């Protein structure tokens, strides 16, 4: 299947700042893809090249197999982008702005009306239809950005740091909405420096740092590769007879404390509990630990993602 987005050896410098050193990314149609990296990693430059806002130095960017420069109109029409910076359209109300945006993609007002109504409702902006952008709170502006990205019903949605600076409650609401869009079959490219956002939402992640892709994979694969995941179980009494019941598990025992090194703690836990029950042991407490994408970033770069 032709990927939704393909980025091949993409390079870009601004004067003497090398922003992209040869980025390769393939995003399958229907994927929820995360470009995770600290500020200055090159995320916005990458998506600005994809959408024609910034010129590349070399490399290729394709949308559904078409070159984003040669076939700009086609490729741009497939993408809706919620940019990091708020637009500065102070003179028109929100409804007018959404109709203009639809018009930019050749959709007439009467054909856009249904989508516009749906977006105002879904994003909780119905009462603000006739307001100007400057009258909105930060969170509302953020939601409006997203409505603008969706008004021409694009197959690919690019969300550039969509929850930067929003409060926790709105962040969770937006996450739910993004999941719905993904469940509807949309391809989503999310840039973020929030570890939790990438872990919770994305099925594939490229970790980017200093204009380079450091690693890629599903969050689970990447986290499992760190080998820090495990289960610690405390028994109510020591049992020296466990070995034959726990065959096949990698674990250490110190008196009543058992520690299992396991890639998928939640998946294996029921099995372990069963084996311990067969051995006649009672459990007094269980703790599971998982490596995070922060651990992955740390082991690749030697620093935390938001340091
Ligand atoms: P991110 O989105 O990951 O925070 P950016 O793509 O915005 O990263 O930036 C990558 C690098 O390019 C940074 O070092 C940034 O300072 C630099 N940069 C981005 N835009 C410009 C610009 N218009 N002029 C000069 N340098 C820029």
């Amino acid at each position: 299947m032709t990927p939704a987005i393909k980025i091949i050896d993409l390079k870009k410098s601004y004067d003497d700042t090398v922003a992209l050193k040869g980025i390769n990314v393939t995003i399958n149609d229907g994927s929820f893809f995360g470009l995770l990296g600290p500020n200055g990693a090159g995320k916005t430059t990458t998506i600005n090249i994809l959408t024609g806002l910034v010129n590349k130095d070399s490399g290729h960017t394709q949308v559904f197999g078409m070159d984003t420069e040669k076939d700009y109109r086609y490729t741009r029409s497939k993408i809706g982008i919620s940019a990091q910076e708020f637009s500065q359209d102070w003179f028109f109300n929100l409804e007018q702005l959404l109709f203009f945006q639809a018009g930019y993609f050749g959709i007439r007002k009467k054909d856009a009306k249904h989508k516009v109504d749906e977006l105002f409702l879904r994003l909780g902006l119905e009462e603000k239809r006739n307001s100007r952008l400057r009258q909105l709170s930060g969170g509302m502006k953020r939601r409006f950005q997203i409505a603008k990205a969706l008004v021409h019903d694009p197959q690919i949605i690019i969300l550039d740091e969509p929850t930067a600076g929003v409060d926790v409650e709105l962040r969770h609401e937006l996450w739910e909405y993004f999941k719905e869009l993904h469940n509807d079959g949309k391809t989503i490219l999310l840039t973020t420096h929030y570890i939790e956002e990438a872990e919770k939402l994305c099925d594939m992640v490229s970790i980017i740092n200093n204009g380079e892709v450091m690693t890629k994979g599903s969050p689970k694969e990447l986290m499992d590769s760190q080998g820090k995941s495990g289960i610690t179980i405390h028994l109510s009494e020591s049992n020296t007879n466990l070995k034959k019941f726990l065959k096949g598990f990698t674990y250490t025992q110190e008196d009543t404390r058992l520690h299992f090194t396991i890639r998928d703690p939640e998946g294996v836990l029921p099995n372990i509990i069963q084996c311990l029950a067969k051995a006649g042991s009672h459990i007094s407490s269980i703790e599971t630990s998982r490596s995070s994408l922060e651990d992955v970033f740390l082991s690749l770069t030697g620093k935390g993602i938001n340091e």
Side-chain angles (χ1 to χ4, degrees), residues 255-271:
D255 197 23
T256 56
R257 179 185 182 277
L258 304 173
H259 181 77
F260 297 81
T261 307
I262 280 167
R263 285 183 163 212
D264 174 22
E266 288 84 3
V268 179
L269 186 58
N271 204 349

Side-chain angles (χ1 to χ4, degrees), residues 104-116:
Y104 177 78
F105 290 100
I107 303 168
R108 282 176 302 185
K109 197 170 171 181
K110 69 176 178 35
D111 297 323
K113 186 165 183 327
H114 179 73
K115 193 77 195 169
V116 167

Side-chain angles (χ1 to χ4, degrees), residues 169-228:
E169 198 182 338
L170 177 59
R171 176 167 301 152
H172 287 109
E173 273 174 37
L174 290 174
W175 286 355
E176 285 311 309
Y177 189 48
F178 301 157
K179 281 190 213 163
E180 271 177 40
L181 291 168
H182 181 233
N183 289 337
D184 286 347
K186 302 289 185 193
T187 304
I188 303 185
L189 167 54
L190 166 87
T191 79
T192 188
H193 65 279
Y194 291 116
I195 306 277
E196 194 191 353
E197 191 157 276
E199 284 178 359
K200 282 239 164 79
L201 297 177
C202 299
D203 49 36
M204 285 299 276
V205 171
S206 277
I207 294 184
I208 161 170
N209 188 40
N210 281 334
E212 283 179 295
V213 173
M214 311 296 290
T215 188
K216 62 183 173 189
S218 71
K220 188 169 178 313
E221 272 165 14
L222 295 175
M223 293 187 291
D224 286 352
S225 70
Q226 295 301 299
K228 287 193 187 160

